Amino acid sequence: MNFIRGLDPLGLQNTSDSTFSILLPGLNNVTGRIRYYSFYCWLLDEYSKRVGSTDPIEQIKFIRTAEYIIALSSQFYSSNNGSIPGSNYAKLEIQNKEINVHDLNAGIYKLDGTTANTYWNFRWGAFGQYYLGSMRNIGIIINRDSEGGIYTRTSSRDESFISGEMLAQSFASNIDPEKSETFFDCISKGKINEDQIENLLPDFNLAIVPDGTEEEAQLIQLLLQKDYPLRIEEDPTTLRKQTISHLLNFSDSNPAAFNDREFIYAAYNRKGIIDGKVDDSLFGWFYYQFNEFWHYANTSIFNGVLDHLEDSCGPNWIPLNQLVDEVGQSVINTLETENFIKNSNDKVSEVLINIDLNEHDLFQKIYKSKKTEKVFYGFLLIFSKYLNNQNDLVSLKEYGDKNDLGKDGEGPGYFLTQFRVKMSTSVLDFVKEYIFKNIIYRHQYVAFRKIGGGGLSTQKFIIEDHHIRYLGNFEAAYTGPRIGNLISFLKDLNILSSDNQLTEKGVSIFNQISLND
């Protein structure tokens, strides 16, 4: 057995991942530039016209070469070239002043045909790794299964939504024909010089959507239309559009800070309510952050327990009961010092009476703490979550069940069942049992489940004959909620300014959404 780092050691992030998938379908945490959506539609359209081969290997090479040219050209952008796949590799290539003519084939494949240490490791390029799933969900590309995995843009048979064909045409209208021919000529020959690269700009700058163009209008409409336009049975409610509306409203409210987490914190604080009513999208972000705090608290406890194990025993074995006793007693001592309890016999319900905290402050305390202090604040975060949301637990559970979001180990279900039963137990017994069951044994369960039939394990410790030995640790962290990339999209589309203010176009879009709703 080989031990690897792994992710999500307690298996509690699945609920968060599922939640932002329904709130912001059609984009993800790595689709950094919205103009790639129209670029890929155009590229697939041109592949059909210029190459037409139904061999996936040919299409992969075509796409990889095109992506590499874009990465090379990004080194000459007059604006920010962030989130352009392959740009780090291309930067080194451009910085090599001994090279003027760039061998595109050498940049996309090694001599043996592998892709490691090229501009992009994944076989299908950034298209396959980053954009494919989102573009397929949003209805602008499809897989032509009858032709062995070849991808193509969707057709404009239904004018009620933006298709891949429409985006391909609007992208083409913003590309000078001579520059287009240079682009494809270089793909065909497998070589490009720096004069040709610079000449492709600004048309092929994928960090900027040309202002006031049909391409810009279509990309805006793409974000505001039905979440899944190719699904006939879809409910007309689109949570992506609602999220965009709330994000623009949040920007216009002049918040102290404007970023993905501050927007979600605002939704959490108002419990998904706006104008006295529960909003599906805002409540979804409330549900999302509730589970973010949940997995952060538990993973912090996990981290602190392992810190103590390493600090006290190093690579040696220790009785499992001894470890739990030591960590549990440390938590009790701190609770007493902070006057949350009188002694370890106090009930959990009595601890709750003495707590008047909020989750945001506790998150910051966990972030700055170490070892068993992190365990202490992790438990306080769990208690605080219950106290501040106990009247909403049923609604949170029902929201998760209705949308099939409540995965194994989700927070609302735990509070409504197990936690309420445990409130009459002593705080010491609760802490020790929780560490045993919800931290140590849950990690074993999750790690064993991930092994499957392979030989790689994400275990952070080994338990044998009631003894435990340290292998590694894992820091608690939030998941990425896609809001950050949505903000980037809105800036690319000239809806938000660089300083996060609504532009004139942004005000118009916001009013349009509000009127339709």
Side-chain angles (χ1 to χ4, degrees):
M1 184 69 67
N2 293 314
F3 297 96
I4 59 175
R5 182 177 184 274
L7 299 172
D8 193 15
L10 298 176
L12 298 178
Q13 291 185 4
N14 293 332
T15 298
S16 295
D17 292 341
S18 299
T19 303
F20 65 60
S21 293
I22 72 163
L23 295 172
L24 276 178
L27 66 157
N28 56 51
N29 290 318
V30 288
T31 49
R33 294 290 183 180
I34 195 169
R35 201 180 184 206
Y36 268 101
Y37 286 46
S38 49
F39 167 72
Y40 283 128
C41 290
W42 172 77
L43 191 65
L44 295 176
D45 192 53
E46 292 292 332
Y47 176 83
S48 298
K49 297 173 182 176
R50 294 172 182 269
V51 182
S53 171
T54 58
D55 183 356
I57 295 177
E58 286 294 318
Q59 191 176 54
I60 291 172
K61 181 180 180 182
F62 187 83
I63 291 172
R64 287 181 66 87
T65 309
E67 287 183 348
Y68 184 38
I69 291 176
I70 295 297
L72 290 169
S73 70
S74 72
Q75 303 309 303
F76 300 93
Y77 285 2
S78 59
S79 58
N80 175 23
N81 68 350
S83 299
I84 300 296
S87 59
N88 289 335
Y89 181 95
K91 181 179 180 179
L92 297 176
E93 181 79 2
I94 296 297
Q95 286 178 344
N96 188 344
K97 298 305 180 182
E98 296 181 2
I99 301 175
N100 183 52
V101 178
H102 301 276
D103 186 343
L104 298 176
N105 293 323
I108 63 172
Y109 294 118
K110 294 300 182 184
L111 291 177
D112 60 358
T114 60
T115 57
N117 300 316
T118 64
Y119 91 98
W120 203 257
N121 188 31
F122 190 76
R123 176 171 172 263
W124 267 98
F127 168 74
Q129 187 172 13
Y130 284 2
Y131 286 87
L132 173 59
S134 294
M135 292 177 66
R136 191 159 44 191
N137 286 340
I138 212 167
I140 55 178
I141 64 168
I142 55 173
N143 185 338
R144 289 162 61 180
D145 293 326
S146 61
E147 299 187 10
I150 293 293
Y151 293 96
T152 185
R153 48 80 177 153
T154 54
S155 300
S156 303
R157 288 176 289 185
D158 186 347
E159 297 295 330
S160 65
F161 65 88
I162 300 298
S163 68
E165 183 180 7
M166 296 165 68
L167 285 172
Q169 292 171 354
S170 65
F171 184 90
S173 68
N174 287 326
I175 303 296
D176 181 277
E178 289 187 9
K179 295 183 179 183
S180 177
E181 289 307 312
T182 297
F183 186 81
F184 291 111
D185 186 54
C186 291
I187 290 179
S188 177
K189 293 178 178 177
K191 296 183 182 299
I192 190 170
N193 62 51
E194 295 197 3
D195 287 340
Q196 290 172 317
I197 293 173
E198 292 191 70
N199 188 52
L200 293 176
L201 302 175
D203 300 33
F204 282 91
N205 185 339
L206 298 194
I208 296 176
V209 180
D211 191 16
T213 63
E214 185 67 17
E215 182 186 358
E216 180 190 66
Q218 289 180 0
L219 287 172
I220 291 173
Q221 186 56 37
L222 183 71
L223 293 179
L224 302 182
Q225 67 186 15
K226 289 174 62 177
D227 288 345
Y228 300 98
L230 299 184
R231 295 184 187 177
I232 299 175
E233 73 280 4
E234 184 192 14
D235 187 287
T237 299
T238 58
L239 297 180
R240 182 178 60 241
K241 183 172 73 172
Q242 288 185 15
T243 294
I244 292 171
S245 176
H246 293 309
L247 182 63
L248 295 180
N249 186 50
F250 180 69
S251 170
D252 200 41
S253 67
N254 295 316
F258 180 78
N259 53 53
D260 54 356
R261 197 55 59 177
E262 290 303 320
F263 166 74
I264 296 169
Y265 279 167
Y268 181 82
N269 292 340
R270 66 197 309 169
K271 300 182 184 297
I273 296 174
I274 187 169
D275 296 330
K277 298 179 181 179
V278 175
D279 178 90
D280 278 349
S281 173
L282 278 185
F283 194 87
W285 289 113
F286 169 42
Y287 179 85
Y288 167 82
Q289 186 57 42
F290 183 93
N291 284 285
E292 286 286 271
F293 281 136
W294 172 247
H295 86 72
Y296 193 89
N298 281 274
T299 309
S300 297
I301 295 172
F302 176 76
N303 177 271
V305 169
L306 291 181
D307 255 350
H308 179 77
L309 176 61
E310 181 188 27
D311 192 49
S312 59
C313 301
N316 301 314
W317 294 91
I318 181 177
L320 181 55
N321 281 332
Q322 180 181 334
L323 170 68
V324 175
D325 286 343
E326 289 175 359
V327 176
Q329 191 58 54
S330 175
V331 172
I332 295 303
N333 292 342
T334 310
L335 285 170
E336 291 177 348
T337 301
E338 298 293 329
N339 295 318
F340 288 119
I341 61 173
K342 295 179 180 177
N343 57 64
S344 61
N345 293 321
D346 282 3
K347 309 299 183 187
V348 172
S349 57
E350 295 174 307
V351 178
L352 297 178
I353 295 174
N354 296 322
I355 290 178
D356 183 17
L357 302 167
N358 71 72
E359 293 83 318
H360 307 291
D361 290 344
L362 288 169
F363 170 81
Q364 294 297 327
K365 290 181 182 296
I366 291 174
Y367 181 75
K368 297 174 182 177
S369 61
K370 297 179 180 179
K371 297 185 172 61
T372 54
E373 186 183 27
K374 197 178 286 284
V375 179
F376 165 71
Y377 284 120
F379 276 107
L380 284 190
L381 180 53
I382 290 175
F383 295 155
S384 180
K385 275 169 52 62
Y386 175 79
L387 282 172
N388 294 330
N389 298 287
Q390 55 185 316
N391 295 329
D392 303 287
L393 291 173
V394 172
S395 297
L396 287 163
K397 185 71 169 64
E398 289 175 347
Y399 184 89
D401 291 343
K402 180 182 72 172
N403 294 288
D404 193 28
L405 302 174
K407 307 303 178 183
D408 172 48
E410 52 92 31
Y414 170 79
F415 283 119
L416 287 170
T417 54
Q418 299 178 56
F419 186 74
R420 287 185 172 176
V421 173
K422 300 297 181 183
M423 288 173 64
S424 60
T425 63
S426 74
V427 66
L428 178 59
D429 288 342
F430 171 80
V431 167
K432 290 169 61 175
E433 182 184 359
Y434 195 93
I435 292 173
F436 265 122
K437 181 178 178 181
N438 296 73
I439 304 301
I440 293 175
Y441 289 134
R442 178 165 180 86
H443 172 64
Q444 275 207 307
Y445 159 69
V446 170
F448 288 165
R449 185 176 61 185
K450 289 179 179 180
I451 291 174
L456 299 177
S457 174
T458 59
Q459 288 173 259
K460 303 305 176 193
F461 52 75
I462 298 175
I463 295 179
E464 186 174 328
D465 194 24
H466 304 293
H467 283 66
I468 187 170
R469 180 165 69 87
Y470 176 88
L471 291 177
N473 209 332
F474 190 92
E475 288 284 346
Y478 282 151
T479 63
R482 303 185 181 183
I483 292 290
N485 276 4
L486 175 58
I487 292 173
S488 296
F489 281 10
L490 297 177
K491 290 181 177 180
D492 286 354
L493 292 169
N494 308 299
I495 293 173
L496 285 177
S497 65
S498 58
D499 58 351
N500 304 314
Q501 301 297 311
L502 279 176
T503 64
E504 184 177 341
K505 184 184 276 90
V507 172
S508 175
I509 295 298
F510 178 66
N511 291 336
Q512 174 191 330
I513 299 173
S514 301
L515 182 63
N516 291 338
D517 290 344

